Amino acid sequence: MTFVTMPKNNIKNKTCIVGNDSDLIVLALASQPLINLYIYNEENYLSIYQLIDKLSRTFCSKKFSYNYHPIRMDFVLLSLFQGNDYNSRISQFNHLLSSYNEFQKSKKGFLISKTGELNLLNIRRLFNKIRTIEKYL
């Protein structure tokens, strides 16, 4: 197994990770910098930068630097809420996205701070929105 290390502010080199595992996307989202990082799954290339850009335009009207992009880290956390071999799923992903969208409209901030700490109050607000959505289904 080869580990990829990416120096800070490396905007000249391109890195491609090959694989079909969805965890690769989550790990790529958590890595920095976002520029020139791709995942290839035998058919398509996924640009992590373009993914973050699209998520940012969808869920947030603010512009952020490449070094700190709160949507990126929030989506890492949302992905973890989907569960894995060790953790149970919090909710269906479409409910998480709808709830996160409603949460972002309230302009209360993000789920993870710039220093990487969980914002437990905002996570509670998100869980309350998930509960509200699932109550009416």
Side-chain angles (χ1 to χ4, degrees):
M1 176 178 239
T2 304
F3 292 92
V4 176
T5 58
M6 298 174 58
K8 288 186 178 188
N9 301 320
N10 181 1
I11 61 173
K12 294 179 183 177
N13 295 331
K14 293 182 182 182
T15 302
C16 181
I17 301 170
V18 179
N20 286 322
D21 191 358
S22 62
D23 289 340
L24 289 175
I25 296 173
V26 174
L27 292 170
L29 285 172
S31 69
Q32 290 184 0
L34 298 174
I35 301 171
N36 295 331
L37 179 59
Y38 301 88
I39 296 177
Y40 178 69
N41 71 353
E42 298 179 6
E43 294 178 12
N44 300 309
Y45 284 94
L46 172 65
S47 166
I48 296 302
Y49 171 78
Q50 288 177 349
L51 175 63
I52 296 302
D53 188 54
K54 174 95 171 156
L55 291 172
S56 182
R57 285 187 276 122
T58 301
F59 294 103
C60 183
S61 59
K62 287 183 173 183
K63 295 276 187 184
F64 293 94
S65 74
Y66 298 122
N67 290 333
Y68 170 67
H69 209 297
I71 294 288
R72 173 179 59 90
M73 293 311 295
D74 279 6
F75 269 81
V76 169
L77 186 59
L78 290 176
S79 295
L80 292 174
F81 289 161
Q82 281 300 279
N84 56 31
D85 294 340
Y86 310 103
N87 298 315
S88 299
R89 177 183 295 209
I90 300 282
S91 180
Q92 298 292 325
F93 197 65
N94 60 333
H95 299 168
L96 278 173
L97 287 181
S98 297
S99 300
Y100 185 76
N101 193 31
E102 289 299 315
F103 168 73
Q104 280 302 314
K105 288 178 183 176
S106 70
K107 305 215 183 284
K108 299 284 186 188
F110 298 95
L111 305 177
I112 298 179
S113 73
K114 190 172 185 173
T115 60
E117 296 175 22
L118 295 175
N119 184 328
L120 297 178
L121 179 59
N122 283 346
I123 292 171
R124 179 180 292 165
R125 289 175 175 144
L126 175 69
F127 285 173
N128 287 337
K129 292 193 180 298
I130 292 168
R131 190 175 347 168
T132 301
I133 285 175
E134 292 184 347
K135 185 166 76 170
Y136 292 109
L137 294 177

